[in-house]
Amino acid sequence: MRKEDLIKRWHEPLYETYLERILHCLTKGKTIGEDLSPFGLYENRIDFRGLELPVCSTIKKCRFLHVDMSYSSIESVNAEKCLFEDVIFDSANMQGFRDLGNKYLNCSFIRTDLSGAGIGHYGSYYNQCVFKNTKFKRTRFIRTEYDNCLFEDCKLKNADFNASSFVSCKFIGKLHGVCFSNGYFMGKELNKEFGVPRVNRMQNVSFAEAELKEVSFRYNCNLSTIIMPKSGEYRLYDKFRKRMELLQSKINEFEGEDRKQVEIFTKVYLIDAVDLEQEEYIFNCDELRQYYGNSLGERILHILDEIQ
């Protein structure tokens, strides 16, 4: 059935009472049952495909078990302390969605539009969820916990996983300007407002099929168990502060424009190493050479490699 037909069917006068019952249940913390859908089951899931929820409506303490919400509109909806298990959000419009302390188990977000959404406030948890071709444009992440999740070819440019943590997750495709953090970027004073985040050890996180461009890490984000990209040349550095301080101490060995470039380079990454307390870091060597030129890029890498 086409997307247009899935949406249109809900507007039949015959089904107005179903919509009223659904909206009532969403605010009363009930379990979503098969009886709420006039269309029964679709592939063993409750058929909510094409359902349009009112903008800025609230879903609170509800249980969604085996529900198909493909092509649905959940735009600017607030969801708080809900359970979503085996729920399909494929091709759903979730722009501006507010995710407040929910739990997602075995859910699918394929071609889902989460642009401008607020994800993970109050410690939302995702386990065995699939994000594929998902739009995360201007999406705000805070204190999200991801276990065994897949991010494949997602629109993640400049995404900031603020105080979010990852265990056994896989990233496929390009990550441009993405930031991973162990704790809140603005400091531990946010623990009182949003709760204490889970330690982000990046445990067994795979970048094997990913391309990392301008990816950053902060606040002692542990990178010791990550799986490095297989394509391209990358360096995983420990003792990052010492390496950057060594490079800084050798700035006088550079001349002219090269010296200016190295001064900027050390200034930027010493902030990560010192102010943001990051002791391990990943560099895309090809990106470094492309940005600074082969000769200068190689000299920078050579100095960073001196510390054993």
Side-chain angles (χ1 to χ4, degrees), residues 216-217 240 244 248 261-276 281 283 291-292:
S216 59
F217 307 89
F240 189 52
M244 293 309 306
Q248 185 183 47
Q261 292 294 328
V262 175
E263 286 177 344
I264 295 172
F265 181 87
T266 54
K267 183 177 181 180
V268 169
Y269 286 103
L270 275 171
I271 291 174
D272 289 338
V274 180
D275 297 345
L276 300 181
Y281 222 87
F283 277 125
Y291 191 84
Y292 292 99

Side-chain angles (χ1 to χ4, degrees), residues 213-224:
K213 186 175 182 179
E214 299 179 16
V215 173
S216 59
F217 307 89
R218 60 196 181 208
Y219 293 125
N220 198 24
C221 197
N222 192 325
L223 306 179
S224 62

Side-chain angles (χ1 to χ4, degrees), residues 132-149:
K132 187 173 181 179
N133 297 118
T134 310
K135 293 182 181 179
F136 289 111
K137 188 176 181 180
R138 304 184 312 279
T139 303
R140 303 172 305 281
F141 301 89
I142 187 164
R143 201 189 154 198
T144 320
E145 299 177 3
Y146 297 101
D147 289 354
N148 310 296
C149 291

Side-chain angles (χ1 to χ4, degrees), residues 283-297:
F283 277 125
N284 181 333
C285 301
D286 296 328
E287 178 187 20
L288 189 66
R289 296 187 189 102
Q290 183 179 18
Y291 191 84
Y292 292 99
N294 287 330
S295 178
L296 181 57

Side-chain angles (χ1 to χ4, degrees), residues 223-237:
L223 306 179
S224 62
T225 65
I226 66 165
I227 301 171
M228 295 284 283
K230 293 181 179 179
S231 179
E233 183 183 352
Y234 292 84
R235 297 271 211 288
L236 172 57
Y237 287 119

Side-chain angles (χ1 to χ4, degrees), residues 1-11 15 39 42 47-52 68-72 90-91:
M1 189 179 293
R2 298 181 310 167
K3 174 183 177 180
E4 295 78 9
D5 295 329
L6 290 170
I7 296 172
K8 184 178 178 180
R9 61 183 182 162
W10 287 96
H11 296 283
Y15 304 134
F39 313 110
Y42 176 76
D47 191 353
F48 274 14
R49 293 176 299 160
L51 175 65
E52 295 179 310
D68 192 336
M69 300 191 71
S70 301
Y71 304 104
S72 59
D90 295 353
S91 298

